[in-house]
Amino acid sequence: MSVSEPTAAAVGNVKERDWAAALPSEGADPIAAKRLSDPSTPPPKLYEKRKAVHNKRIDGPFRRLKWAIMVVTLTIYYVTPWLRWDRGPYAPDQAVLVDLANRRFYMFDIEIWPHEFYFVAGLLIMAGIGLFLVTSAVGRAWCGYACPQTVWTDLFQHVDRFVDGDRNARIRLDKAPWGPAKIARRLFKWSIYLLISLLTGGAWILYFADAPTLVRDFFALEASPVAYATVGILTFTTFWLGGFMREQVCIYMCPWPRIQGAMLDEKSLIVTYKHWRGEPRGSLKKAKKNPGADGDCIDCLQCVAVCPTGIDIREGQQIGCITCALCIDACDKVMKEIGRPRGLIDYATLEQCEAEMAGKPPTPAWKALLRPRTFIYFGIWAAIGVAMLFALGTRSHTDLTVSPDRNPPYMLMKDGSVRNAYTLRLRNMEARPRDMEIALVGLPQGAVMWTDRIGRESAAESQRVTVPANETRVVRAYVTVPNGVSADSFSFRLTSLDEQGEQDTAQTSFSSPENEP
Amino acid sequence: MSDKSRENARIDEPTGTELVGHEWDGIEELNTPLPRWWLWTFYATIAWSLVYVVLYPAWPLVERATEGVLGWSSRGELAEEMSAADLARRSVYEQIAATDITKLPANPELMGQAIAGGAAAFKQHCVQCHGAGAAGYEQYGYPNLNDDDWIWGGELAEIEYTLTHGIRWGGSRQTRQAYMPPFEGALEKPQVDALVNHVLSLSGKGQSSTEGVQLFAQNCAACHQPDGSGDQLQGAPALNDAIWLYGGEAANIRAQILNPRHGVMPGWSDKLDPVTIKMLAAYVHSRGGGESAEEGTEEVASDAEAVAEAPEGGDDERL
């Protein structure tokens, strides 16, 4: 996008900046740059091949942070299904289980039923707000550290390095003609890719069934077709997206880079090249000859070499930058070697950059975290979490819903009494069978009830029903009011006959010839 | 897009990329090349569609669509699923067929299945007269099947018999036959009035008279019993309860005495198989008014869901 005004770089209400200095003299598109000076150059192609990214190995604080997050996230992903959690004889003993067949979601001590899907919705809202929180504070940290695409791409790039060596060796191998050695190497590498992909797809299905059983069935070829299909699809997507598409996913497929552009403001931390310090670029040789003429950037291209998406951060914020900060590690290392201060490429906000350009001393990056927006997001996020925990902790394990039969609304019996039928749903959310009492509340004297299992001869004002563990029992109840007695609205009261004595009351109506609905 | 048209393309200064040349409110589009894999993906979708056209029904023609070499159709798939479902139900059918209807209540599981099957068949064959809630239609004399008043008996076996042979139905020799003579011309108007009042008094509504008692004993008690409690063996309705097939007002009763209406129900033995009839009987019996063969037999599940084995948590989603 461009704005035809020459003052293109104004961002929101931020003062107009002179970004031209941050731009390399040659544009991002060498063909276009050539055509600027020489119109006879042929126009660019409609399509272009992906340029392979061979990112160089680098060590530094951010790289170590990435390692740590990768280990933690992958461990969580692969280990979680194997955790056991004893829930007694009536419920599965897997700590985290999405039991689609029985429509239950287990997570340690929490068990969620379909009608409580709002807890899952709440988790999704928390994830969304958490993303806003992180983005407003530290920019695209999600992309750079925690996104599965990033984590697996990183993993596959380490596989590349392990099999083919570091950047230069891989570039050489890419250019080398196909021969037995290269084919063997490639097949070896791709088989490692495939193994990782299989493990990834395989771990996914373990969340939906009992992990040890499923693994046994899976290899005995006795698992359900949907399990094999899921593993197949996820293996393929991991292999293809992590092994070959990589940064293309971020640049062309994922909506997040576009959204985050709208969520950053001048107070958000981004990975920034401090052009006022770096430009004009000059080699070390030139600096020796003519000290003070050039900036700190010696154009060593290490920042480009380590970048997992292969961009040049010195061109400013761009869609391809996932804010993984590996270029910071690389640049800091170079600056240390040539004895210049670190932070030529660094986490900074636009505001901090403004201040630095105006000659103020640099502020530490972490100060950018302390701002109202971050606290408000965090407050909302935490409030939802606390509210959900509260709701989970205080919810009743006993629930009653009543739906009166509407067709016919009432039945006149031989003796002139009026009968209504109701469908009651008694929910027992505990992992043990429980006895419950259903009682009529607010009906005149003489009203009795019986159910589909408790015959008319045992009709009374209340009935005892056993509800199986972890189930909703459907009971058809009949309520009869004697001849000549009028009744209108009343309630069913459900009481659990155990030490908890949980109660739930559901109001409903009694239809008769006098008050036909 | 020929090279000629691109010769004068402008370059976007900040990014150094060529512009497409369109402009909307000062906003222009960059001519960034598409990734090559995108093009391949596009070709792959075209290939996919070609393969689909070959394999599946695709082109609508005048009479029907092209068939596709797999021979798949949604209708065929439905038929397959239906026959698979039939196959799955077969064992239940066989069990019901092998169980005498009076023995059904002793097997709650099977009874539940029978009731569920009966509910489905009821929606297909019975709701036209008896209504979706089985509440009948007083104006036309379609009986209510939910209450506990049965002209021909409300036990499972009796209901099954009624369903099989019908009521006043020409298609079966064993059909339920009951006939009430018309009293028009046989009784004077005051006599009819006295009789109507007596009949009303049986269910505690009107005032009886000596004449009414006499007339009833002479003309009616033979079938309807002296106390008006009716006789299920003859199919004589009870007159001493709150339920009236053709209406319980004086005018309705008078009309019925003078010119009785005789409802007809077809027998179902020629349309439905015995198992379906058995299931229908179980369902009708379960509507809450069914009579037990022996006193004290437990009522059985009247809601198929109650005997469903799967957890019912999902039902909550419908509430």
Side-chain angles (χ1 to χ4, degrees), chain A residues 238-255:
Chain A
T238 310
F239 184 72
W240 176 59
L241 296 175
F244 300 92
M245 292 302 276
R246 296 188 178 173
E247 80 289 339
Q248 302 283 307
V249 175
C250 311
I251 294 172
Y252 293 105
M253 302 182 189
C254 178

Side-chain angles (χ1 to χ4, degrees), chain B residues 1-317:
Chain B
M1 201 179 312
S2 73
D3 286 1
K4 225 172 177 62
S5 67
R6 307 290 323 145
E7 263 175 24
N8 302 327
R10 290 176 40 249
I11 304 290
D12 172 55
E13 294 277 354
T15 60
T17 314
E18 199 172 85
L19 291 159
V20 179
H22 307 289
E23 183 196 304
W24 298 270
D25 293 347
I27 297 173
E28 293 187 70
E29 214 177 343
L30 298 179
N31 192 18
T32 312
L34 274 168
R36 176 71 59 80
W37 58 260
W38 188 94
L39 188 65
W40 289 343
T41 311
F42 182 58
Y43 291 152
T45 58
I46 293 171
W48 173 277
S49 65
L50 291 174
V51 171
Y52 185 96
V53 164
V54 172
L55 294 182
Y56 287 97
W59 294 103
L61 306 175
V62 179
E63 287 287 323
R64 52 192 317 151
T66 53
E67 288 207 352
V69 298
L70 289 186
W72 178 93
S73 71
S74 50
R75 207 175 282 244
E77 189 171 45
L78 176 70
E80 263 174 47
E81 282 172 13
M82 294 290 277
S83 59
D86 281 347
L87 207 63
R89 280 197 294 259
R90 183 169 294 168
S91 72
V92 176
Y93 265 68
E94 282 164 1
Q95 282 182 64
I96 293 174
T99 312
D100 186 78
I101 192 148
T102 52
K103 304 276 188 297
L104 262 183
N107 183 346
E109 178 74 21
L110 201 57
M111 187 69 178
Q113 301 274 19
I115 288 167
F122 190 88
K123 288 185 180 73
Q124 207 176 338
H125 303 289
C126 316
V127 297
Q128 294 82 343
C129 299
H130 291 284
Y137 205 162
E138 195 179 83
Q139 194 187 335
Y140 298 115
Y142 299 135
N144 184 336
L145 306 176
N146 298 292
D147 59 37
D148 52 354
D149 189 21
W150 300 92
I151 296 174
W152 294 101
E155 292 158 25
L156 279 165
E158 298 287 357
I159 298 173
E160 186 187 29
Y161 185 95
T162 307
L163 279 167
T164 309
H165 302 292
I167 296 168
R168 303 185 188 92
W169 180 59
S172 166
R173 292 207 168 171
Q174 293 129 291
T175 189
R176 304 278 199 191
Q177 276 292 7
Y179 178 73
M180 172 162 158
F183 287 86
E184 193 159 31
L187 294 172
E188 303 294 317
K189 190 177 178 317
Q191 291 179 303
V192 176
D193 286 354
L195 200 47
V196 167
N197 281 329
H198 175 77
V199 171
L200 280 170
S201 76
L202 292 174
S203 52
K205 277 193 193 160
Q207 272 298 332
S208 185
S209 56
T210 359
E211 195 191 7
V213 174
Q214 251 184 345
L215 281 165
F216 189 83
Q218 286 163 10
N219 299 301
C220 318
C223 300
H224 290 285
Q225 305 302 315
D227 61 350
S229 60
D231 179 8
Q232 292 184 346
L233 288 175
Q234 303 180 56
L239 306 175
N240 63 349
D241 61 22
I243 295 167
W244 299 89
L245 183 55
Y246 299 112
E249 301 302 318
N252 306 129
I253 295 169
R254 174 175 288 110
Q256 190 65 14
I257 293 171
L258 298 176
N259 267 313
R261 298 160 67 182
H262 293 107
V264 173
M265 178 172 89
W268 294 93
S269 51
D270 61 344
K271 286 197 185 66
L272 302 175
D273 58 287
V275 175
T276 307
I277 290 179
K278 209 180 267 192
M279 295 198 297
L280 276 169
Y283 173 72
V284 169
H285 185 271
S286 78
R287 293 292 304 176
E291 295 171 353
S292 308
E294 313 103 64
E295 277 303 306
T297 308
E298 259 211 12
E299 291 256 338
V300 284
S302 75
D303 193 325
E305 289 171 297
V307 290
E309 277 198 42
E312 297 282 357
D315 284 328
D316 306 324
E317 295 158 322

Side-chain angles (χ1 to χ4, degrees), chain A residues 284-445:
Chain A
L284 270 176
K285 269 188 205 158
K286 266 171 73 185
K288 280 209 182 84
K289 265 190 227 158
N290 193 355
D294 290 337
D296 279 349
C297 176
I298 58 166
D299 222 358
C300 64
L301 292 178
Q302 289 304 293
C303 54
V304 181
V306 300
C307 178
T309 60
I311 57 157
D312 187 346
I313 190 63
R314 294 172 303 171
E315 288 165 11
Q317 256 301 304
Q318 54 199 285
I319 205 165
C321 173
I322 57 169
T323 320
C324 66
L326 292 183
C327 51
I328 302 181
D329 282 344
C331 191
D332 284 355
K333 199 172 149 204
V334 172
M335 289 296 122
K336 196 174 167 188
E337 278 169 11
I338 63 174
R340 290 175 187 173
R342 70 161 293 277
L344 174 60
I345 301 175
D346 202 359
Y347 268 116
T349 67
L350 277 181
E351 258 184 6
Q352 289 170 343
C353 292
E354 297 275 302
E356 259 187 76
M357 270 192 269
K360 292 186 184 125
T363 31
W366 62 265
K367 288 214 164 162
L369 302 181
L370 307 174
R371 58 169 178 143
R373 199 211 277 219
T374 308
F375 287 117
I376 291 168
Y377 273 140
F378 180 78
I380 297 171
W381 182 82
I384 294 172
V386 169
M388 290 209 321
L389 284 174
F390 180 78
L392 270 173
T394 57
R395 68 182 173 166
S396 170
H397 294 151
T398 307
D399 183 82
L400 170 70
T401 47
V402 177
S403 41
D405 267 23
R406 285 283 168 236
N407 183 10
Y410 62 85
M411 266 344 347
L412 201 57
M413 304 311 275
K414 265 203 306 209
D415 58 1
S417 60
V418 179
R419 193 186 80 203
N420 277 210
Y422 301 86
T423 303
L424 310 182
R425 286 188 161 78
L426 281 51
R427 190 182 299 137
N428 169 20
M429 294 184 55
E430 289 190 3
R432 51 172 183 157
R434 290 156 87 206
D435 284 349
M436 299 191 184
E437 182 199 62
I438 319 169
L440 300 173
V441 181
L443 274 178
Q445 194 62 36

